[in-house]
Amino acid sequence: MFVFKGGRIPERGIGPPPSQTNSKSKLIAEYLSNFQRVTNGGMYIDGFAAPQSRGHEEAWTARRVLEIEPKRIRNFWLCDIDPEGIKQLRTLKAQHHRDPRSRRVFVHEGDFNEIVHDILKSDRFTPRAAIFALLDQRNTECHWSTVKALAGRGGRTKIELMYFLGASWLHRSLTQSKTPDRIAEIDRWWGGPEWTSLKNLTQIGMVDQVAARFSFELGYKHVNAFPIFQRDTGKKRSFYLIHASDHPEAPKLMTRAYLKTVGSVEGTIADGQANLPW
């Protein structure tokens, strides 16, 4: 179970954090708190690590993951391109680096799509290490070449990917993007101009199309999509977590974490009425 340690970082939010932000961070922390017991530790890469709701650090994924007890994840790479976000990350690092002594927290300022290649050269990665990478992009910032680089790193198993897709505004973003710079950005996100076919799909159709690439192009054995709702009691799906892993326990543990933090969702792998294979 992940826990909070009150007073370690000032809470600046007025009112509760956005439901979708809170749900995403709770889900990732709950999942990793359970999975680290299976892997007996691991390493964590967060490509867009600054808090998405700057004034609600209590709902900050990086913070929640660092505060998981027991502290079995030993190495953290926290990246962001925003200078204000980097200041928050450095404050967070000051609270957790070398606590315990074997823990290392690295903060990288800049474009994760460029930084990722240097991170993957780290001699801290061993062939047997369990590595988790969170890609919590706001829109289409994460290039497909970055996803491929993470998935292509050698080891006993692939780096486990937790990739958030902003499904509720993706269709509007794709159809309304007209400038050459914006088109080029989406090309980098998709890995080419073929993304235009997404404009003819429903929301779930787009999610299925993106998720399928993790199986067929990247070769992951287990790929599932979990919806994140705009409000706790609402039905609008703002994000989908695309979870890709080679570990046989990963789908079970993510589904259990989802049922605990978000709840049962009909028609998904996290359907409380479904006959799950575990």
Side-chain angles (χ1 to χ4, degrees):
M1 175 68 66
F2 63 90
V3 298
F4 302 114
K5 295 186 177 180
R8 297 185 69 174
I9 298 176
E11 313 293 10
R12 300 179 303 168
I14 300 175
S19 295
Q20 61 196 27
T21 301
N22 199 36
S23 293
K24 288 193 294 180
S25 66
K26 286 195 300 181
L27 173 60
I28 297 302
E30 180 67 27
Y31 171 70
L32 290 177
S33 70
N34 293 324
F35 206 4
Q36 69 165 2
R37 300 173 190 272
V38 174
T39 59
N40 197 31
M43 304 182 183
Y44 178 81
I45 303 169
D46 191 337
F48 307 89
Q52 295 212 349
S53 181
R54 293 290 196 260
H56 292 94
E57 293 180 344
E58 72 274 23
W60 184 6
T61 304
R63 174 183 173 175
R64 279 179 160 161
V65 172
L66 279 160
E67 292 187 348
I68 290 172
E69 296 284 354
K71 297 178 178 179
R72 294 179 178 173
I73 300 176
R74 292 296 190 228
N75 293 285
F76 295 78
W77 288 265
L78 308 178
C79 312
D80 211 273
I81 199 169
D82 177 62
E84 290 302 313
I86 288 293
K87 290 179 183 178
Q88 290 176 279
L89 287 169
R90 287 175 176 153
T91 299
L92 186 67
K93 173 181 177 176
Q95 300 292 329
H96 293 278
H97 185 67
R98 293 291 203 165
D99 179 21
R101 183 74 179 166
S102 59
R103 173 169 281 195
R104 302 289 191 279
V105 180
F106 306 99
V107 173
H108 296 272
E109 181 174 6
D111 186 347
F112 180 64
N113 298 294
E114 300 172 2
I115 294 169
V116 64
H117 303 289
D118 290 331
I119 292 174
L120 291 175
K121 294 175 184 176
S122 172
D123 57 9
R124 293 186 175 276
F125 294 133
T126 62
R128 298 177 64 85
I131 307 170
F132 309 94
L134 175 63
L135 303 172
D136 191 4
Q137 60 190 333
R138 278 65 168 174
N139 192 356
T140 55
E141 295 88 355
C142 187
H143 301 173
W144 189 247
S145 61
T146 298
V147 181
K148 289 175 67 176
L150 290 163
R153 179 201 167 271
R156 184 176 61 173
T157 58
K158 290 179 178 291
I159 292 178
E160 184 160 317
L161 300 181
M162 298 170 288
Y163 178 98
F164 278 104
L165 182 69
S168 67
W169 51 82
L170 181 59
H171 185 270
R172 182 174 67 252
S173 178
L174 298 183
T175 56
Q176 295 183 1
S177 296
K178 306 296 183 183
T179 67
D181 286 348
R182 178 60 182 146
I183 296 298
E185 180 182 337
I186 301 175
D187 284 350
R188 291 189 292 270
W189 167 73
W190 186 255
E194 298 83 3
W195 58 267
T196 54
S197 63
L198 296 176
K199 295 190 289 186
N200 301 319
L201 300 178
T202 63
Q203 182 187 96
I204 191 62
M206 288 191 291
V207 173
D208 288 344
Q209 188 83 351
V210 175
R213 301 186 75 189
F214 287 79
S215 295
F216 299 119
E217 292 185 31
L218 304 181
Y220 280 95
K221 295 177 182 177
H222 310 287
V223 178
N224 293 291
F226 297 85
I228 301 294
F229 296 90
Q230 185 173 22
R231 298 197 188 333
D232 289 338
T233 57
K235 295 183 179 181
K236 183 177 181 180
R237 303 179 180 197
S238 294
F239 286 90
Y240 276 80
L241 168 63
I242 297 175
H243 178 224
S245 178
D246 275 358
H247 199 292
E249 294 298 312
K252 307 174 190 178
L253 294 171
M254 183 61 81
T255 300
R256 289 170 183 161
Y258 187 89
L259 288 169
K260 181 173 181 178
T261 59
V262 179
S264 174
V265 179
E266 185 178 357
T268 72
I269 189 174
D271 185 340
Q273 302 302 315
N275 293 318
L276 299 175
W278 52 79

